[in-house]
Amino acid sequence: MIAESSTAESSTAVTDHAISPNAINKGAITYLHKNQRTIAKPVQAVGLGLHSGKRVTMRLLPALANQGIHFYRVDQTPSVKIPAQATQVGDTRMASVLEKDGIRVSTVEHLMSACAGMGVDNLIVELDNEEVPIMDGSAATFVYLLQEAGICDLAAPKKFMRITKEIEVRETKNGQEKWARLSPYQGFALDFFIEFNHPKINQSGQYAHIDLTTEVYDEEIARARTFGFMHEVEMLRGMGLARGGSLENAIVMDEFDILNDADMRYENEFVRHKILDAIGDLYLAGYPLLAHYHGHKAGHEFNNRLLRAVLADPSQYEIVSL
């Protein structure tokens, strides 16, 4: 595996992208909030793409109300703008990949998860390569960058997608069942079950429940790292994936144990990371959800299929403000 540390740094202020509202204190970051939010000033991070292994510089910039989150590939001439929407997802192998006219923005789920958890509705994301940097394999660095930039209210009501009827996608293959479901709920809660036959994962627990209307994202979810297995590395690299993976940006396991020296960040960090991924994938709805999500051995593909099923039938949701 390649080992290269990632760094995060504040960029110099860019006055034409500065936003005037006052930054919000950390304690005021709540999922149910009446106003839309963006960041107060640009920030920058440099790191590696987990799957591409390529060095990338990412800049986060303020955006106006009702603009949403957009990614810009600034290494293209002219730059290519891709909205953070479920219908733009073209590849879900090991990551959520946005595509437009053959141009890709890969591994968006951790940044999108941080934006959802920290209540950021509008954001410009500039990249000079194809993949969002993996940083330490969690969403913690992205939370830090958003806080460093200053999260601030905009003078526009926050819009939520409220699920009005239960919807599910399910698949049974080789005797294994996977499914993902959204149900009506006056808040945003997630239940997730994973099943990996590994002693350390069994020991940590394979189920978790999080309710973002009562629990704090940056404390309960953001620090959970992605994970993988040594025996899968060569296969993934043969598929053009995991070329930037290392012990610095993932929990790596052999047949029996964890190879990283550092302690687990949460007792059930493995399944919490799957919840982190699901929060990011589901934020590609274009709005924060009012729903109860259940995932059973689901991944990026099922999360995207679930959102597309919702969007295909407008009777299953409504856009509301608090």
Side-chain angles (χ1 to χ4, degrees):
M1 292 187 180
I2 300 172
E4 176 178 329
S5 61
S6 298
T7 60
E9 58 187 22
S10 298
S11 71
T12 56
V14 180
T15 55
D16 59 336
H17 287 288
I19 296 293
S20 58
N22 294 327
I24 296 167
N25 293 329
K26 178 181 175 183
I29 300 297
T30 55
Y31 187 80
L32 296 177
H33 188 70
K34 67 178 182 179
N35 288 94
Q36 294 182 35
R37 287 171 170 166
T38 188
I39 58 176
K41 65 180 182 181
V43 287
Q44 179 171 300
V46 180
L48 285 182
L50 173 63
H51 296 298
S52 67
K54 297 176 181 177
R55 184 179 177 88
V56 57
T57 298
M58 178 185 74
R59 295 186 74 222
L60 307 181
L61 299 105
L64 301 176
N66 299 311
Q67 184 170 332
I69 298 175
H70 288 83
F71 290 84
Y72 286 78
R73 285 285 303 275
V74 297
D75 57 317
Q76 303 295 307
T77 304
S79 64
V80 177
K81 174 184 176 181
I82 307 179
Q85 295 178 356
T87 52
Q88 297 290 148
V89 174
D91 190 351
T92 53
R93 296 176 304 160
M94 308 299 291
S96 288
V97 181
L98 304 175
E99 297 184 1
K100 180 181 178 181
D101 300 329
I103 304 300
R104 295 160 50 98
V105 172
S106 179
T107 319
V108 302
E109 60 271 11
H110 297 175
L111 175 59
M112 293 298 297
S113 184
C115 289
M118 305 306 289
V120 175
D121 308 273
N122 306 285
L123 189 68
I124 295 170
V125 184
E126 293 183 349
L127 301 167
D128 67 356
N129 219 315
E130 66 183 75
E131 190 171 11
V132 175
I134 190 61
M135 311 313 288
D136 73 343
S138 74
T141 302
F142 301 125
V143 167
Y144 166 78
L145 287 168
L146 294 172
Q147 291 175 334
E148 179 73 9
I151 299 171
C152 57
D153 276 347
L154 294 168
K158 193 178 187 75
K159 298 176 182 179
F160 295 84
M161 176 181 282
R162 186 170 77 88
I163 299 300
T164 57
K165 61 178 73 171
E166 184 173 286
I167 184 167
E168 179 183 284
V169 291
R170 181 181 292 261
E171 180 181 283
T172 302
K173 194 172 183 179
N174 299 324
Q176 297 293 316
E177 192 169 55
K178 298 180 180 181
W179 50 268
R181 177 195 306 144
L182 286 171
S183 306
Y185 183 67
Q186 287 302 100
F188 187 38
L190 302 98
D191 288 72
F192 211 106
F193 172 76
I194 59 176
E195 188 173 41
F196 291 93
N197 186 21
H198 190 278
K200 290 298 182 180
I201 301 181
N202 289 332
Q203 180 182 335
S204 75
Q206 308 215 39
Y207 167 80
H209 167 82
I210 291 291
D211 191 334
L212 288 184
T213 50
T214 59
E215 297 175 88
V216 181
Y217 175 87
D218 57 333
E219 295 177 0
E220 302 296 334
I221 293 295
R223 298 177 64 246
R225 295 162 292 174
T226 192
F227 59 94
F229 303 91
M230 280 297 297
H231 69 269
E232 295 178 342
V233 170
E234 291 306 318
M235 177 191 70
L236 290 172
R237 289 186 171 173
M239 298 166 59
L241 302 170
R243 292 176 177 176
S246 76
L247 295 175
E248 294 185 7
N249 55 39
I251 303 172
V252 183
M253 291 167 283
D254 62 14
E255 187 176 354
F256 303 104
D257 209 347
I258 295 172
L259 302 182
N260 306 64
D261 291 331
D263 294 334
M264 298 288 285
R265 297 177 176 179
Y266 303 102
E267 181 180 357
N268 56 351
E269 185 171 358
F270 300 104
V271 68
R272 285 190 187 231
H273 183 79
K274 298 295 285 186
I275 288 178
L276 184 156
D277 278 349
I279 292 170
D281 288 341
L282 295 173
Y283 204 32
L284 293 171
Y287 304 94
L289 295 180
L290 296 178
H292 193 158
Y293 167 86
H294 288 81
H296 182 88
K297 298 189 285 186
H300 304 298
E301 177 190 0
F302 271 75
N303 295 334
N304 186 250
R305 284 171 56 184
L306 181 62
L307 277 188
R308 286 176 181 263
V310 171
L311 295 170
D313 182 358
S315 71
Q316 297 175 124
Y317 67 91
E318 59 184 2
I319 306 302
V320 300
S321 297
L322 296 183

